[in-house]
Amino acid sequence: DTREVSGCACVPGYYRLMPGDTCTACPSGATSSVGALNQSDCFCAVGFYGSTATDCAGCAENQTTAGANATGEDACACADGFYTDYPTANTSVCVACPRNTYNRLVNQNTSLACAACPNNSVSEPGRGVDGCDCVAGRYALDGWQTSPVECVLCPNGTYSETVGGQGLLSCLPCPSLT
C-alpha cells in the first residue's frame, strides 16, 4: 500500500526513503510517527508486540497493549470492556463485561471494573472506551465525550427509533399529522 504525498511528511503508519518518494505502508501490525523516513522507523502498533516492525504479532483475543512499541507477549492484557478474574481464574482469559455495563480501562482484574450504564442507556457485552448507547428517543449530548454518557430526551416534535443516537441531529422531525 502506498500514498502519494509529494512535498509532505508521510502520515502515521507510512514511511518514505527520499523526499518526493511515495509513502509506503509499514508492515502488517506496525505503525510509525508522522514523517517516518525508513522502515526501521516503524514499530508495533497498539495491540501488537515484537522486537521489530517486521515481526509484530497480535495479542490474543480480547487483549491489547497499553501502548505502541511493545516488545513481548507479556505486554498484552485484557482490553477495555474486558477483565480477568485474577487470582481465581486463568489470567490469560479475558471475560467480557456483562450487557448494560462498560469498562474504559485496560488490564483490569476484577468484574468490579465493569460499571453500570447510566440511566436511559444500554450496552452490549464487552463495551469499552465507547461506553454505553442512549436508548431510542434520546441522544448523547456530547457523543461519547462525556463519561459516562449523558442521554437527553429528544425535543417535542421529534423522535428517534435508533439506539445510540449522537447529537440532536439524530432526533428526526415527527411525520405530519402526528
Side-chain angles (χ1 to χ4, degrees):
D1 187 17
T2 60
R3 292 186 184 184
E4 179 59 45
V5 286
S6 183
C8 300
C10 294
V11 297
Y14 289 79
Y15 66 93
R16 85 163 127 225
L17 298 175
M18 300 292 293
D21 282 355
T22 301
C23 294
T24 302
C26 290
S28 179
T31 191
S32 66
S33 300
V34 172
L37 299 175
N38 195 309
Q39 183 175 341
S40 64
D41 292 333
C42 298
F43 49 88
C44 294
V46 171
F48 294 84
Y49 62 92
S51 57
T52 68
T54 57
D55 71 350
C56 296
C59 291
E61 186 176 8
N62 304 323
Q63 292 188 359
T64 190
T65 56
N69 213 11
T71 57
E73 186 175 11
D74 59 342
C76 296
C78 292
D80 60 317
F82 295 84
Y83 66 94
T84 185
D85 265 337
Y86 177 81
T88 60
N90 182 341
T91 58
S92 65
V93 175
C94 297
V95 180
C97 286
R99 181 180 311 279
N100 298 326
T101 67
Y102 69 100
N103 166 20
R104 294 176 189 246
L105 303 173
V106 173
N107 198 22
Q108 298 301 296
N109 61 4
T110 174
S111 62
L112 297 176
C114 303
C117 287
N119 289 339
N120 302 307
S121 67
V122 295
S123 75
E124 292 298 317
R127 286 298 288 268
V129 72
D130 53 2
C132 303
D133 293 318
C134 294
V135 296
R138 295 184 177 263
Y139 66 94
L141 192 57
D142 294 324
W144 286 304
Q145 303 305 313
T146 305
S147 176
V149 67
E150 182 181 348
C151 298
V152 179
L153 190 62
C154 286
N156 285 338
T158 66
Y159 75 101
S160 171
E161 295 177 347
T162 306
V163 171
Q166 294 186 36
L168 183 58
L169 294 178
S170 63
C171 298
L172 305 172
C174 290
S176 60
L177 303 175
T178 58

